[in-house]
Amino acid sequence: MAEKTSTYYIGRLDGFQARERARRWGGSWGSRLKMSHFPVSAMSPIDQYLDSHAERFEDELCELLRIPSISAQPDRRDDLRRTAEWVADQFRRLRFDVEIIPTDGHPLVFAQSPTVPDAPTALVYGHYDVQPVEPLDQWISPPFEPTRRDGNLYARGATDDKGQMFTHIKSAEAWMTVEGRLPINLKYLIEGEEEVGSHGLEHYLAQHADRLACDCVVISDGSQFAPGIPAITYGLRGIACYELRVHGPNRDLHSGSFGGSVTNPAIALTKILAGLIDHKSRITIPGFYDDVVPLSDREREAMAAMPFDEKHYFEQIGVAEAMGEEGYTALERRWARPTFDISGLTSGYQGEGAKTVLPATASAKFSFRLVPNQDTAKITSGLKWRLAELCLPGVELELIDQHGSPGVLASLDSPAMAAAARAIEHAFGRPPVYTREGGSIPIVTAFSKQLKTDTLLIGWGQDDDNTHSPNEKISLADFHRGIRASARLWEELAK
Amino acid sequence: MAEKTSTYYIGRLDGFQARERARRWGGSWGSRLKMSHFPVSAMSPIDQYLDSHAERFEDELCELLRIPSISAQPDRRDDLRRTAEWVADQFRRLRFDVEIIPTDGHPLVFAQSPTVPDAPTALVYGHYDVQPVEPLDQWISPPFEPTRRDGNLYARGATDDKGQMFTHIKSAEAWMTVEGRLPINLKYLIEGEEEVGSHGLEHYLAQHADRLACDCVVISDGSQFAPGIPAITYGLRGIACYELRVHGPNRDLHSGSFGGSVTNPAIALTKILAGLIDHKSRITIPGFYDDVVPLSDREREAMAAMPFDEKHYFEQIGVAEAMGEEGYTALERRWARPTFDISGLTSGYQGEGAKTVLPATASAKFSFRLVPNQDTAKITSGLKWRLAELCLPGVELELIDQHGSPGVLASLDSPAMAAAARAIEHAFGRPPVYTREGGSIPIVTAFSKQLKTDTLLIGWGQDDDNTHSPNEKISLADFHRGIRASARLWEELAK
């Protein structure tokens, strides 16, 4: 009666072999495209200024990057304050109105350019705080000693977000120096708590939406689609997060003595969760798809034309076969379709070996990614109805509605979108692709809600910039193209 | 955008209210029946001996109970050895052949009564080790200071198993003293590792089955059906335990960026587990029920006649509604039908709040309780087939076969069973009920396999004896009735 343990690998078709193959493939994400260069003919005075001050801009960025403004670490409070002062000083040099606004956490920097009557107003959002730097031993050069290597600048915050945010300050400098004025009204809101939840900003935004009023919000805190392929992100998914707890007997029971006569909460949980999504990966909550904004033909065509290599995508994450909602491509599923995901399962015995227990409870954390127009309250209400329908006799359900925020979708046809596209083409030598993002950016949702305006999400970074990881970097070419695009954006928005 | 957390309680019908009601009910398990007393007329000399030495038997049991033979605690090794010696000494006084057999753990005590030619042989199994005693502050009297209260003797090991095992030694003493001989051949195998896995015994049994050869095994290490209702347990379920691991992407993914395009291993796991059992609580593995020995009409009638109060049963465990395989009562489901239970679920994020992760893996521990004739190897093979059928694209399955043992069913019509029934009726004043047990007792399975003989499971304990808990006890009336039944059993088995 010694225990015999055997392990079997069971693949759908030859799944295990496919997994092994996937491991061997390795492979990197996509192929690198050759970077384009500035079109040097017919340079405007603004562009000439940017070109001739490029090295100083880099040096100034290095100065900013040297301040270890790690918002998560309480003993860095003075460094955060110093960074806010440094940023405010940049605006003072441009003779902007500047205010350092205290919060319960780290201060906000708010700046306004001199008024240009009858011109539109853009609000630039960015953040001066950075992520922690551990593990330190994996950094090739120290995180707060900015170092140039292979056309990149390495430092914590280089791309997220000091480097990107700074492009919108230098573009304003060019205008103020060369032309003595900006073509539009600019407001800047630069926070120091983005990496720890933006609580101070959200509080301020809820109370001072009037002061932040604008025609569009501009954010550069993300990535291009791929090297050499700049992008404008016009849609974000929303989210609705829940925890479901299934309560069965009043204590863990012996599965031998009781098994078969009592509803097993873990079985009830699997039945309920499995019942929330059908074999076509469609969510079975009544009315779930009613308000979904369908993908337009134009969007589907644009997504199909993206240089998105599904094979490389799945190889990179070690998945042998695609799966998802029937009738959609992987990119459409990620960007523009609502989804159901389980993020955690907990029940009974989780240690080594076996324990013959019939657990008293079982719980799951799960979320729906929502697309624009889905309403979180309606989703919760439909979910409750469906859970009651799926519940088994002998257990009770407890649903915890953790949080939710709606999806965001900017119009592709707005003047601001067209202005951004022209500005990007001017700087990057090719028009941007229009992307959506599967995740949520809470601050964009908040701007959308409080300021009733679209956000231009124009990231200058790259997917391999090591955001939040050791050896964070920004491509210096992207940094300068970002400044040039920003400078042109002010002009285009004025048209 | 502050997080708003709401909690909903969702019951099937008015499940939550039912749960609250169940809490208020409280209620104890079943009603206490009045104990029967010895029929005092026409006492045999054996019974007269037992009666007149009753107090000494209790004192000797107290002596045995004072030795803290906790097998799980390494520093008790000498106490275990001392207990084995004490037990061996009991046999020496009866002039039995005795051997203390060393094992890698605590020793076995093996004893044989003087040979009675042409008489059958019974092997008595018991154990002299006990469970740990924590939490100590919940004991009314100290665990190793045996104390009489309200007709019970309180001490660790009082019922499990020192007190019950000792009945079969005192019954032999009565025969040897009064008659100078036993009516049958007795072998005793008393181990010191039952509470820690019986490894030494299993090893010995596999190598010395010939020495242990017998016509039946006798074990008193369990409970009567209820106070005043003695029982013979003639069936045990087997078990097959597994762990299933679902492997998806090569790392946890962001559910926003990737969700919808990649099979979520936790969803795949819930789909697979939910698919192993249908809405009638029937297991969907092909061939699963092929070898199940169906309940006979006689068994179903006997079970229906049991004083088993389903309402009290479910109240006691706080369950508002029964559920289980269609067409069977709760008792039948527990004792005689195979079942599927999930004992553990693990995946993704299990901490407070939400984390928007698409987990790389998800796993479950689960088991099937098997009934006689189901074969664990066939179950595993069918399970593998079914898992491959239920697997989703984009994940791979790893199945760990943890351990299994078949069910055991003794014939209700054997001479030994009839002998035990007569002996029990003699001592308890009423015939036993015939019960099955939902759990497995590995040592019974091992005896069945190695000795090819039936086991008489005749427990003298009660469900409320606090086995493995503080304030373990044995009813002194049950202790003495057990000795009397045992003494009569030797005689009845000889017939």
Side-chain angles (χ1 to χ4, degrees):
Chain A
M1 293 241 305
E3 292 196 3
K4 197 173 126 273
T5 297
S6 315
T7 301
Y8 309 100
Y9 292 92
I10 298 164
R12 189 166 166 287
L13 308 176
D14 57 345
F16 180 60
Q17 293 90 325
R19 185 180 173 82
E20 285 304 297
R21 270 207 308 279
R23 275 205 195 100
R24 282 197 302 275
W25 286 335
S28 66
W29 161 223
S31 50
R32 293 275 170 260
L33 300 179
K34 194 175 181 318
M35 285 195 224
S36 61
H37 296 287
F38 290 131
V40 284
S41 61
M43 247 193 203
S44 71
I46 294 284
D47 287 346
Q48 283 174 29
Y49 178 86
L50 297 181
D51 238 30
S52 55
H53 292 83
E55 202 174 318
R56 175 173 57 82
F57 295 166
E58 292 178 20
D59 291 344
E60 287 183 19
L61 174 57
C62 289
E63 226 177 78
L64 174 58
L65 291 171
R66 277 191 200 99
I67 316 177
S69 52
I70 304 170
S71 50
Q73 300 178 345
D75 59 347
R76 298 288 190 186
R77 176 167 287 272
D78 289 347
D79 292 316
L80 273 288
R81 176 85 209 170
R82 194 150 56 93
T83 318
E85 284 292 352
W86 193 96
V87 171
D89 197 52
Q90 287 279 323
F91 293 118
R92 284 185 201 112
R93 290 189 211 170
L94 304 179
R95 287 162 291 125
F96 284 13
D97 278 343
V98 189
E99 189 184 347
I100 293 181
I101 301 164
T103 73
D104 287 346
H106 307 301
L108 301 166
V109 179
F110 180 69
Q112 277 186 286
S113 63
T115 304
V116 182
D118 302 324
T121 300
L123 172 68
V124 176
Y125 163 83
H127 63 95
Y128 64 80
D129 64 323
V130 300
Q131 278 277 317
V133 294
E134 289 71 21
L136 258 174
D137 58 348
Q138 292 184 21
W139 287 80
I140 294 166
S141 50
F144 297 111
E145 293 178 22
T147 306
R148 292 179 184 81
R149 275 198 306 277
D150 306 326
N152 298 307
L153 182 63
Y154 286 84
R156 172 58 86 229
T159 193
D160 177 19
D161 177 46
K162 286 174 175 173
Q164 296 200 48
M165 175 268 286
F166 197 53
T167 62
H168 297 298
I169 300 179
K170 293 296 103 178
S171 66
E173 177 195 307
W175 277 97
M176 295 305 288
T177 312
V178 175
E179 305 287 345
R181 65 186 288 276
L182 274 154
I184 59 168
N185 296 291
L186 285 180
K187 296 177 181 177
Y188 288 82
L189 185 63
I190 314 296
E191 69 159 320
E193 298 182 299
E194 198 269 351
E195 305 293 3
V196 291
S198 299
H199 299 297
L201 173 59
E202 282 172 13
H203 189 72
Y204 187 78
L205 185 55
Q207 305 211 313
H208 300 280
D210 50 337
R211 195 179 187 195
L212 302 175
C214 60
D215 298 291
C216 75
V217 177
V218 175
I219 304 180
S220 294
D221 189 19
S223 292
Q224 301 176 52
F225 183 77
I229 309 182
I232 300 177
T233 300
Y234 69 100
L236 300 172
R237 290 199 288 194
I239 192 167
C241 289
Y242 305 92
E243 181 169 334
L244 177 66
R245 296 177 185 166
V246 181
H247 299 284
N250 53 19
R251 61 183 186 277
D252 287 358
L253 300 175
H254 189 288
S255 70
S257 307
F258 293 88
S261 69
V262 173
T263 303
N264 182 314
I267 292 180
L269 180 68
T270 64
K271 288 272 186 194
I272 291 166
L273 294 172
L276 287 178
I277 185 166
D278 71 13
H279 66 285
K280 292 181 176 181
S281 296
R282 295 271 296 184
I283 292 147
T284 62
I285 294 172
F288 186 84
Y289 293 94
D290 286 359
D291 300 327
V292 167
V293 176
L295 275 161
S296 66
D297 289 346
R298 175 179 161 197
E299 284 181 283
R300 300 193 76 166
E301 279 161 27
M303 286 187 194
M306 294 267 177
F308 175 69
D309 182 337
E310 281 206 13
K311 186 164 169 285
H312 274 275
Y313 171 77
F314 286 110
E315 276 176 22
Q316 184 209 20
I317 54 178
V319 168
E321 257 180 292
M323 196 190 172
E325 191 185 3
E326 214 173 83
Y328 294 93
T329 66
L331 214 49
E332 289 169 347
R333 290 166 177 169
R334 292 168 61 198
W335 286 358
R337 295 299 302 171
T339 56
F340 166 60
D341 268 296
I342 299 173
S343 56
L345 290 173
T346 305
S347 183
Y349 180 66
Q350 309 201 15
E352 283 294 305
K355 187 178 178 193
T356 53
V357 70
L358 192 164
T361 63
S363 67
K365 294 175 194 288
F366 60 92
S367 63
F368 301 99
R369 293 284 168 175
L370 305 178
V371 296
N373 278 341
Q374 288 184 296
D375 176 64
T376 54
K378 274 175 79 172
I379 299 299
T380 299
S381 155
L383 173 65
K384 284 159 67 180
W385 192 92
R386 180 71 177 140
L387 291 178
E389 190 178 44
L390 290 167
C391 186
L392 298 187
V395 293
E396 289 116 42
L397 307 186
E398 180 186 355
L399 179 69
I400 299 160
D401 183 358
Q402 288 175 321
H403 66 84
S405 71
V408 170
L409 196 63
S411 166
L412 283 170
D413 299 316
S414 70
M417 194 67 75
R422 289 191 300 270
I424 287 170
E425 183 167 6
H426 168 72
F428 286 80
R430 62 155 287 168
V433 293
Y434 296 88
T435 63
R436 292 172 68 160
E437 178 54 54
S440 312
I441 305 180
I443 199 65
V444 174
T445 313
F447 284 139
S448 168
K449 186 177 161 196
Q450 303 283 357
L451 305 182
K452 317 274 185 242
T453 182
D454 281 356
T455 292
L456 288 174
L457 282 166
I458 44 178
W460 312 137
Q462 298 294 347
D463 278 343
D464 67 354
D465 274 350
N466 300 320
T467 309
H468 294 205
S469 301
N471 305 310
E472 180 177 345
K473 68 167 177 64
I474 191 168
S475 147
L476 286 167
D478 282 336
F479 172 66
H480 293 296
R481 285 190 284 238
I483 302 172
R484 180 180 283 230
S486 174
R488 178 61 69 103
L489 178 61
W490 311 143
E491 189 176 354
E492 295 288 347
L493 283 172
K495 281 180 184 167
Chain B
M1 293 239 307
E3 293 196 2
K4 197 173 126 273
T5 296
S6 315
T7 302
Y8 310 100
Y9 292 93
I10 299 165
R12 192 169 163 283
L13 306 176
D14 57 346
F16 179 61
Q17 292 89 326
R19 184 181 174 85
E20 285 305 296
R21 271 206 307 279
R23 275 206 195 99
R24 283 197 302 274
W25 286 333
S28 67
W29 161 221
S31 50
R32 292 278 169 261
L33 300 179
K34 193 177 182 314
M35 283 197 225
S36 61
H37 295 287
F38 289 130
V40 283
S41 63
M43 246 194 204
S44 71
I46 295 284
D47 286 347
Q48 284 173 29
Y49 177 88
L50 297 181
D51 240 29
S52 55
H53 291 83
E55 203 174 317
R56 174 173 57 82
F57 294 166
E58 292 179 17
D59 292 343
E60 287 182 17
L61 175 57
C62 289
E63 226 176 80
L64 174 58
L65 292 171
R66 277 189 201 100
I67 318 177
S69 51
I70 304 169
S71 50
Q73 298 177 346
D75 59 348
R76 298 290 189 186
R77 175 167 286 273
D78 288 348
D79 292 316
L80 273 290
R81 175 84 207 172
R82 195 149 58 91
T83 319
E85 282 293 351
W86 192 96
V87 172
D89 196 51
Q90 287 280 322
F91 294 118
R92 285 188 200 110
R93 290 190 212 169
L94 305 179
R95 288 163 290 123
F96 285 12
D97 280 343
V98 189
E99 189 185 348
I100 293 181
I101 301 164
T103 72
D104 287 346
H106 306 302
L108 300 167
V109 180
F110 181 69
Q112 276 185 285
S113 65
T115 304
V116 183
D118 302 325
T121 301
L123 172 68
V124 176
Y125 162 84
H127 63 95
Y128 64 80
D129 64 321
V130 299
Q131 278 277 317
V133 293
E134 288 71 21
L136 257 173
D137 59 347
Q138 293 186 20
W139 286 80
I140 294 165
S141 50
F144 297 111
E145 293 178 23
T147 307
R148 291 180 185 80
R149 275 198 307 276
D150 306 326
N152 297 308
L153 182 63
Y154 286 83
R156 171 59 84 228
T159 193
D160 177 18
D161 176 47
K162 287 174 175 173
Q164 296 200 49
M165 174 269 286
F166 197 52
T167 63
H168 297 298
I169 299 178
K170 293 297 101 178
S171 67
E173 177 195 306
W175 277 97
M176 296 304 288
T177 312
V178 175
E179 303 289 346
R181 63 186 288 277
L182 275 153
I184 58 165
N185 296 292
L186 285 180
K187 296 177 182 176
Y188 288 82
L189 186 63
I190 315 296
E191 69 159 319
E193 297 183 299
E194 199 270 350
E195 304 293 3
V196 290
S198 299
H199 298 297
L201 172 59
E202 282 172 13
H203 188 72
Y204 187 77
L205 184 56
Q207 304 210 315
H208 300 279
D210 52 336
R211 195 179 186 193
L212 303 175
C214 61
D215 298 292
C216 75
V217 177
V218 175
I219 303 180
S220 295
D221 189 19
S223 292
Q224 301 175 53
F225 184 75
I229 309 181
I232 301 178
T233 300
Y234 69 98
L236 300 172
R237 290 199 287 195
I239 192 167
C241 289
Y242 305 91
E243 181 170 335
L244 178 65
R245 297 178 185 164
V246 181
H247 299 284
N250 53 19
R251 61 184 186 275
D252 287 358
L253 300 176
H254 189 289
S255 70
S257 305
F258 293 89
S261 68
V262 173
T263 304
N264 182 313
I267 292 180
L269 181 68
T270 64
K271 288 271 183 193
I272 291 167
L273 294 171
L276 287 177
I277 186 164
D278 70 15
H279 66 285
K280 293 182 175 179
S281 296
R282 295 270 297 182
I283 291 145
T284 60
I285 293 172
F288 186 84
Y289 293 95
D290 285 358
D291 300 327
V292 167
V293 176
L295 276 160
S296 68
D297 288 346
R298 176 179 162 196
E299 286 181 281
R300 300 194 76 167
E301 280 161 26
M303 286 187 194
M306 294 269 175
F308 174 71
D309 183 338
E310 281 205 15
K311 187 165 166 286
H312 276 275
Y313 170 77
F314 286 111
E315 276 175 24
Q316 184 207 23
I317 54 177
V319 168
E321 257 182 293
M323 195 190 172
E325 191 185 4
E326 213 173 84
Y328 295 93
T329 67
L331 214 51
E332 290 170 346
R333 289 167 178 168
R334 291 168 61 199
W335 285 358
R337 295 299 302 172
T339 56
F340 166 60
D341 268 297
I342 298 173
S343 55
L345 290 174
T346 305
S347 183
Y349 180 65
Q350 309 202 14
E352 284 295 306
K355 188 179 175 192
T356 52
V357 69
L358 192 164
T361 63
S363 67
K365 294 175 193 287
F366 61 93
S367 63
F368 301 99
R369 292 284 167 176
L370 305 178
V371 296
N373 277 345
Q374 288 183 294
D375 177 64
T376 52
K378 274 174 79 172
I379 300 300
T380 300
S381 153
L383 173 64
K384 285 159 66 181
W385 192 93
R386 180 70 176 138
L387 291 179
E389 190 177 44
L390 290 167
C391 187
L392 298 186
V395 294
E396 288 115 44
L397 306 184
E398 179 186 356
L399 178 70
I400 299 160
D401 182 358
Q402 286 174 323
H403 66 83
S405 70
V408 171
L409 197 63
S411 167
L412 283 169
D413 299 317
S414 70
M417 194 67 74
R422 290 192 299 269
I424 286 171
E425 182 164 8
H426 168 73
F428 287 80
R430 63 155 287 169
V433 293
Y434 296 88
T435 63
R436 292 170 70 160
E437 178 55 54
S440 312
I441 306 181
I443 198 67
V444 174
T445 312
F447 284 140
S448 167
K449 185 178 162 193
Q450 302 284 356
L451 305 181
K452 318 275 185 241
T453 184
D454 280 357
T455 291
L456 288 173
L457 282 166
I458 43 177
W460 314 135
Q462 297 295 348
D463 277 343
D464 66 354
D465 275 349
N466 299 322
T467 310
H468 293 204
S469 299
N471 306 310
E472 180 176 344
K473 68 167 176 66
I474 192 167
S475 148
L476 286 166
D478 283 334
F479 172 65
H480 293 296
R481 287 192 282 240
I483 301 173
R484 181 180 279 233
S486 174
R488 179 59 71 102
L489 179 60
W490 311 145
E491 190 177 353
E492 295 289 348
L493 283 172
K495 281 180 182 166

